[in-house]
């Protein structure tokens, strides 16, 4: 017997007006996905349940390091506008706009720095859980329904294939849980003319991540027309009214985020993406059966490359058929929503549509990033079906079942994608289960409430099994390895931070942004906001560089000096590494100091303006820098004249006319190229290689071995050795190829020319008096008219005053900043303010003011209406 004033939910007595009772189903939609993800993390052995972390792919290389820098800036009082921690210096506000703007990320401040990975994981789980909650809230308000059924498809939304595949892109998840609120606000705007919820939720979405918001905004434009023309009462006047409000609130939402949008826009105009060109012809990517079959259960989620992530419950295969057959639904409603659904699925396979959805740009891996919109729309249609499920006739159930089973068989027969047999078996078994239960449900009678709870058990079991399978498929990384150098880094900071504005780098690293993770001012950077000019320049110097990323891997003596790399941290103790001399040991880390590292700027010849940075050979680019900037006539790096063909296994090797080797691998596996130095001199030697289809290179020389996982082409330091010493290169072929070609060059160091170079560039250094994240105060004594070279990345946000007078900055190959300088004593003040920051802040302030006015006006109107009703 239930006492008065109490209700019984799930065997627990709750007060009807209690907090939990009034929000019980919302809480289920929030906590079920959370529990599933936690179980998956425990199964993975995620710390503290093991020694694993969920930092996979870009969250390993980029996001965790950016969280680290963000954390340190807030805790230690740094500027959010600029950072020296990586990339030679970066526009940090642009990084925030793409990666860090979510207010939920501030939760990391509740944790000590040592638990930053745990904080990252908790924020990720929270965002997934909020997706379930927001979807439940949407369907509850849209369909005026509050019972267990609002949880059904919420768990599928929170743990859809898209979320399973891309959840490690933590900055995208805010848009996923905000989307249902945006759509709810759009519906209110069209239905009632009230747009505040729409404007505020869209503003939050754009502020949190402008990139995914581009896709949301394209969808909103299309969905506006769908919703408006579904109305019974329509008129041209009403269309104009609602259209203007839709446009106005959309602009207001964008204006609210302008403080991030404008600086991000100017930063992106300097990246590789700015050169994107609209496709001139139509092209299909995949077999459509393969794409549609992504709806099936227990398919490994796509992460970097592959088919779109479409899974959102096997039941949708039958329910979408039932939606087409749905009784008493206006044909216009069906056609418009189905047309939008078809457009979204076609966009996964048509290059032009794919290009448009991704912000007029082809994504660099991670395909079909917009499919969360498809999943949202599909699940809302399926919920409509469930609400009237008992109204369908038995033949309609049977037709939906047969068509769904036929689809699975067709995908098995005509699909090109190889899938495990269990994918088809599990999917068909679930279809059978749901078909049988639908028939029971139709004639439920007094057992209807019980059967609704059983539906919930079915759905929860499916999404839990598929979700845990998908999250386990994603994999993990070693927690202890990622955190292993934090303590030593803290000790090293006490030394390097006191030395001034110099840079520190890692001799061995796994993550691209490890230097940022450890909080050092460094060279390496992997970010979507990386300047294309700087990226190309670093690559032309012989270091590793690819789209949106470059690293210290492949540096040389000249590059170390000109980029101001004064400290090097290594896992291995040696007497010296190039010009770096051993300094001290900190735990398992060894610190080296470069006595020839230059400060952030120094005087060079005016001929620096003519530096040829575009040579195909990096040693020539380095030699030309020494020639143009320092007047060194001799080459510092001298290409070796090779006249013997090295021993090769697994392929054939030939000697080219330009004294390079070309090695062609003609079989799978690891192939070796071994050559012996025939010269009788003892020199510091390097190789430069190009191996675009090789996944790994291992270099063995002088008793040492070192591996490189990125072999697009960079310099490898062989150390000092001479006659009769051998070098063995082991190449591993990428699994996507059956053969490959490698080109290898060798060059050595002219120590006499290198010494002259050091002496020349050290004559007039820029003496830094003080510096912060956004300001440098310095002085310089120039013997002659020339150029103040700097190793600061070119960015129009920098403003320079020489002796108190504003001076225009110049760009070297769109990569580095320099300033013309006359002879004499000068003071130099450099300040940074991101391009677009001030106007963006003004626009954001105005938009916030307008939102505030609208809010209080609406509140006043509601109070007035309430009083009128109370007196009537």
């Amino acid at each position: 017997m239930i006492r008065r004033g109490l209700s019984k939910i799930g065997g627990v007595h709750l007060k009807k007006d209690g907090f939990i009772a009034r929000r019980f189903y919302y809480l289920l939609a929030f906590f079920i996905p959370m529990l599933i993800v936690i179980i998956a993390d425990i199964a993975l052995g995620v710390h503290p349940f093991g020694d694993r972390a969920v930092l996979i792919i870009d969250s390993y290389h980029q996001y965790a390091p950016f969280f680290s820098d963000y954390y340190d800036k807030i805790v230690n009082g740094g500027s959010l506008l600029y950072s020296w921690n990586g990339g030679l210096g970066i526009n940090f506000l642009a990084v925030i706009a793409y990666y860090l703007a979510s207010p939920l990320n501030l939760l990391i401040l509740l944790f000590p720095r040592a638990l930053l990975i745990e904080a990252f994981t908790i924020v990720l789980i929270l965002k997934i859980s909020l997706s379930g909650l927001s979807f439940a809230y949407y369907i509850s308000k849209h369909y005026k329904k509050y019972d267990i059924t609002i949880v059904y498809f919420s768990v599928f939304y929170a743990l859809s294939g898209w979320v399973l595949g891309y959840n490690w892109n933590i900055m995208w998840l805010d848009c996923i849980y905000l989307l249902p609120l945006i759509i709810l606000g759009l519906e209110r705007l069209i239905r009632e003319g009230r747009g505040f919820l729409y404007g505020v939720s869209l503003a939050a979405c754009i502020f949190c991540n402008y990139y995914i918001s581009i896709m949301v905004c394209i969808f909103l434009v299309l969905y506006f027309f769908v919703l408006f023309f579904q109305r019974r009462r329509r008129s041209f006047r009403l269309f104009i009214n609602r259209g203007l409000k839709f446009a106005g609130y959309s602009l207001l939402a964008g204006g609210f985020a302008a403080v991030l949008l404008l600086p991000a826009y100017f930063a992106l105009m300097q990246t590789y993406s700015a050169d994107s060109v609209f496709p001139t012809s139509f092209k299909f990517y995949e077999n459509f059966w393969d794409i549609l079959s992504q709806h099936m259960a227990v398919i490994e989620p796509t992460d970097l490359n592959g088919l779109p992530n479409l899974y959102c419950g096997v039941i949708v295969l039958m329910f979408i058929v039932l939606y087409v057959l749905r009784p008493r639904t206006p044909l216009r409603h069906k056609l418009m929503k189905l047309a939008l659904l078809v457009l979204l699925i076609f966009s996964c396979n048509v290059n032009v549509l794919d290009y448009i959805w991704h912000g007029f740009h082809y994504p660099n891996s991670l395909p079909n990033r917009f499919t969360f919109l498809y999943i949202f729309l599909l699940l809302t249609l399926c919920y409509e079906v469930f609400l009237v499920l008992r109204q369908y006739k038995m033949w309609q159930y049977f037709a939906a079942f047969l068509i769904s089973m036929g689809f699975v068989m067709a995908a098995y027969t005509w699909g090109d994608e190889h899938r495990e047999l269990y994918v088809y078996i599990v999917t068909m078994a679930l279809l059978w289960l749901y078909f049988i239960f639908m028939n029971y449900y139709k004639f439920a009678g007094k057992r209807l409430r019980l059967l609704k709870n059983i539906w919930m058990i079915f759905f929860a079991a499916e999404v839990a099994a598929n979700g845990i399978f998908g999250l386990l498929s994603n994999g993990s990384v070693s927690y202890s390895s990622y955190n292993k150098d934090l303590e030593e880094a803290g000790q090293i900071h006490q030394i390097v931070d006191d030395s001034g504005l110099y840079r520190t780098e890692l001799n061995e690293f796994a993550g691209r942004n490890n230097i940022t993770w450890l909080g050092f001012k460094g060279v390496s950077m992997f970010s979507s906001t990386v300047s294309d000019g700087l990226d190309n320049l670093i690559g032309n110097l012989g270091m590793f560089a690819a789209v949106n990323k470059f690293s210290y891997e492949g540096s040389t003596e000249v590059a170390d000096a000109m980029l101001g790399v004064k400290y090097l941290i290594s896992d291995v103790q040696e007497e010296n590494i190039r010009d770096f001399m051993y300094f001290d040991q900190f735990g398992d880390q060894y610190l080296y100091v470069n006595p020839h590292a230059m400060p952030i700027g120094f005087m060079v010849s005016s001929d620096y303006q003519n530096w040829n940075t575009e040579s195909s050979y990096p040693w020539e680019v380095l030699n030309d820098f020494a020639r143009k900037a320092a007047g060194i006539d001799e080459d510092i790096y001298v290409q070796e004249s090779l006249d013997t063909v090295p021993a090769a296994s697994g392929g054939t090797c030939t000697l080219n006319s330009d004294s390079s080797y070309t090695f062609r691998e003609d079989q799978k596996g690891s192939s070796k190229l071994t050559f012996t130095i025939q010269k009788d001199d003892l020199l510091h030697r390097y190789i430069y290689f190009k191996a675009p289809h090789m996944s790994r290179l291992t270099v063995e020389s002088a008793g040492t071995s070192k591996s490189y996982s990125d072999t697009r082409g960079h310099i490898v330091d062989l150390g000092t050795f001479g006659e009769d010493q051998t070098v063995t290169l082991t190449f591993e072929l990428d699994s996507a190829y059956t053969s490959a070609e490698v080109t290898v060059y060798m060059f050595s160091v002219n120590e006499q020319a290198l010494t002259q170079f050091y002496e020349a560039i050290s004559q007039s250094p820029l003496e830094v008096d003080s510096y912060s994240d956004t300001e440098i105060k310095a002085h310089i004594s120039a013997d002659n008219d020339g150029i103040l070279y700097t190793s600061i990345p070119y960015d129009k946000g920098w403003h320079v005053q020489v002796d108190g007078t504003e001076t225009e900055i110049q760009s070297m190959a769109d990569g580095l900043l320099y300033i013309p300088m006359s002879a004499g004593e000068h003071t130099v003040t450099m300040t940074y303010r991101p391009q677009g920051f001030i106007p963006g802040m003004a626009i954001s302030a105005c938009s916030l003011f307008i939102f505030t006015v609208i809010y209080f006006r609406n509140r006043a109107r509601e109070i007035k209406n309430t009083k009128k009703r109370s007196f009537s």
Side-chain angles (χ1 to χ4, degrees), residues 502 598-603 764-769 776-781 788-790 792 821 826-828 830:
Y502 289 91
M598 294 302 295
I600 202 77
F602 52 89
M603 288 297 296
S764 299
L766 182 70
E767 303 287 349
V768 177
D769 301 316
I776 299 172
K777 291 185 177 181
H779 65 274
I780 191 168
S781 177
L788 175 59
Y789 159 92
T790 80
I792 300 172
M821 186 75 66
H826 301 285
T827 60
V828 180
M830 306 179 69

Side-chain angles (χ1 to χ4, degrees), residues 687-691 697 710-714 716 731 742-744:
I687 61 167
Y688 174 67
F689 67 95
K690 295 180 180 179
L697 164 66
D710 292 294
T711 55
R712 291 175 175 87
H714 57 79
V716 173
F731 296 97
V742 181
T743 304
V744 181

Side-chain angles (χ1 to χ4, degrees), residues 289 400-412 414 428 431:
W289 289 112
F401 172 71
L402 284 182
I403 292 172
S404 300
M405 293 291 281
F407 160 74
V408 176
M409 295 303 297
Y412 176 80
W414 295 318
M428 295 174 75
L431 288 173

